[in-house]
Amino acid sequence: MAVVAHKEADIDLLARLLRAEAEGEGVQGMMLVGAVGINRIRANCSDFKGLRTIPDMVYQPHAFEAVQKGYFYQRARESERRLARRAVRGERPWPAKYSLWYFRPPGECPPTWYNQPFVDRFKLHCFYEPLAVECENVYNTF
């Protein structure tokens, strides 16, 4: 059962985002990106208030660098569609389980990002989750 309402076009959009943001980090890396995106929709807090749909999340201004690059606009592949479906069903692997932010620094992960604490690193990406007092919903929406 899906935790976020979606259409097949939304699955394609999310699949394209997963590939464009984290293809080099494999299946697990793409699943982490999907979890962060779904968390942003479900949490409704911080910089992500008012996001209700996958397109809202993907095209939120300044949210994902990938949407500015041509690679993002290629057709979705079935392998990434399967990952996108897992994400909309609420699969949230660690370290993205409660994360709302990730990024790829040129070196070590800073201890905070947007004033949120570092959780863990997966390959080249660092993950950050909000404090419960700032974003309680990310911890209780699933």
Side-chain angles (χ1 to χ4, degrees):
M1 184 165 142
V3 298
V4 171
H6 63 281
K7 300 173 186 168
E8 202 56 31
D10 299 332
I11 293 295
D12 284 353
L13 180 62
L14 183 56
R16 292 178 15 227
L17 181 71
L18 302 183
R19 181 177 67 217
E21 286 280 316
E23 182 177 40
E25 306 228 341
V27 169
Q28 183 73 1
M30 289 187 281
M31 280 302 304
L32 296 172
V33 167
V36 168
I38 298 303
N39 285 347
R40 289 178 177 186
I41 296 168
R42 300 287 315 272
N44 194 34
C45 66
S46 185
D47 297 333
F48 312 107
K49 286 183 180 169
L51 299 182
R52 296 290 180 263
T53 67
I54 290 171
D56 288 348
M57 177 266 296
V58 170
Y59 293 118
Q60 182 185 24
H62 314 293
F64 297 104
E65 185 178 315
V67 300
Q68 301 169 22
K69 303 193 185 228
Y71 191 60
F72 170 77
Y73 293 94
Q74 294 181 5
R75 262 181 60 183
R77 297 183 294 206
E78 189 53 39
S79 57
E80 285 87 21
R81 283 188 194 106
R82 283 191 297 272
L83 298 176
R85 287 184 189 100
R86 288 170 57 187
V88 300
R89 286 194 303 265
E91 190 171 324
R92 300 187 310 163
W94 187 262
K97 185 167 182 73
Y98 304 112
S99 294
L100 294 177
W101 295 270
Y102 66 86
F103 85 111
R104 180 181 173 176
E108 294 301 312
C109 298
T112 60
W113 184 251
Y114 289 99
N115 297 317
Q116 303 305 310
F118 171 67
V119 177
D120 205 351
R121 182 178 200 133
F122 180 79
K123 294 189 180 182
L124 298 175
H125 284 93
C126 304
F127 290 81
Y128 298 82
E129 65 184 46
L131 300 173
V133 297
E134 296 176 10
C135 191
E136 183 179 343
N137 285 345
V138 79
Y139 296 97
N140 63 24
T141 57
F142 291 90

